């Protein structure tokens, strides 16, 4: 499966870029799935709902299904967080998986960068970052795209993964 990442510091524009890339690449006829890493506890169901009650009662996995979609929730309890490769293995085959986060993993990435966040460039110390999508002009040893030029960023990613 082809994978490509979008990384960056908080408020750098990662999620907006991911959303635009999914729309752009799907619009070109490719199938895309996404993986999003969260650094905090999150919930996908609501207290009081049946699935929440099943999980709270101790179920390791709860699969919620309807005519339109299904969601599989897995409680790690005392297990370690799964590696990215283990999570990717759970996905159905698609043309491209876009990964938001997992900046320390070895897959190729584009960095979303906004100078106003006050954070430095991750790309300065990370050779897995193959390009930067920036809100300001930068002089780097790799391609720099305007953060809002989704079409050119998509062209670059698709070329990198062999889908151009």
């Amino acid at each position: 499966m082809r994978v490509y990442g979008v990384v960056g510091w908080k408020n750098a524009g990662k999620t907006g870029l991911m959303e635009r890339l999914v729309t752009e690449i799907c619009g070109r006829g490719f199938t895309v799935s996404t993986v999003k890493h969260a650094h905090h506890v999150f919930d996908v169901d609501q207290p009081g709902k049946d699935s929440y009650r099943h999980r709270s009662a101790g179920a390791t996995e709860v699969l919620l299904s309807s005519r339109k979609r299904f969601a599989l929730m897995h409680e790690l309890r005392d297990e370690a967080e799964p590696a990215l490769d283990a999570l990717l293995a759970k996905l159905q085959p698609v043309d491209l998986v876009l990964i938001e986060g997992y900046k320390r993993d070895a897959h190729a990435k584009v960095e979303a960068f906004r100078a106003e966040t006050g954070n430095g460039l991750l790309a300065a110390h990370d050779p897995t970052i193959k390009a930067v999508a920036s809100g300001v002009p930068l002089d780097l040893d790799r391609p720099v795209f305007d953060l809002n030029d989704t079409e050119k960023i998509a062209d670059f990613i698709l070329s990198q993964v062999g889908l151009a």
Side-chain angles (χ1 to χ4, degrees):
M1 199 159 11
R2 295 171 175 97
V3 301
Y4 212 88
V6 174
V7 296
W9 297 110
K10 184 177 181 175
N11 297 321
K14 298 181 302 292
T15 301
L17 178 57
M18 284 280 293
E19 182 179 9
R20 293 189 311 273
L21 285 170
V22 170
T23 299
E24 176 71 24
I25 295 170
C26 287
R28 295 181 189 194
F30 295 106
T31 55
V32 178
S33 289
T34 65
V35 174
K36 162 78 171 115
H37 188 258
H39 293 283
H40 47 81
V41 175
F42 66 91
D43 238 322
V44 294
D45 60 355
Q46 303 297 316
K49 296 292 186 181
D50 293 351
S51 57
Y52 184 94
R53 293 172 60 191
H54 296 180
R55 198 166 42 89
S56 295
T60 299
E61 290 189 322
V62 176
L63 195 142
L64 179 62
S65 180
S66 75
R67 188 172 56 86
K68 298 280 189 182
R69 72 186 56 89
F70 73 87
L72 175 62
M73 292 170 280
H74 180 97
E75 281 296 312
L76 293 175
R77 308 263 181 235
D78 294 325
E79 301 171 52
E81 181 179 356
L84 179 57
D85 286 344
L87 296 171
L88 290 171
K90 295 180 182 296
L91 296 176
Q92 295 294 311
V94 292
D95 296 316
L96 177 65
V97 178
L98 290 173
I99 301 166
E100 182 177 344
Y102 290 94
K103 64 179 161 250
R104 291 177 184 84
D105 284 74
H107 59 280
K109 306 163 189 80
V110 62
E111 178 179 355
F113 178 76
R114 285 193 175 126
E116 59 267 23
T117 66
N119 294 306
L121 274 169
L122 295 168
H125 306 288
D126 187 346
T128 67
I129 296 175
K130 306 299 183 188
V132 176
S134 175
V136 296
L138 299 170
D139 183 24
L140 293 176
D141 62 348
R142 62 201 85 185
V144 177
F145 300 99
D146 182 292
L147 183 58
N148 295 310
D149 195 343
T150 309
E151 187 176 324
K152 283 187 182 171
I153 298 166
D155 289 343
F156 177 80
I157 291 171
L158 292 172
S159 174
Q160 289 277 295
V161 299
L163 290 174

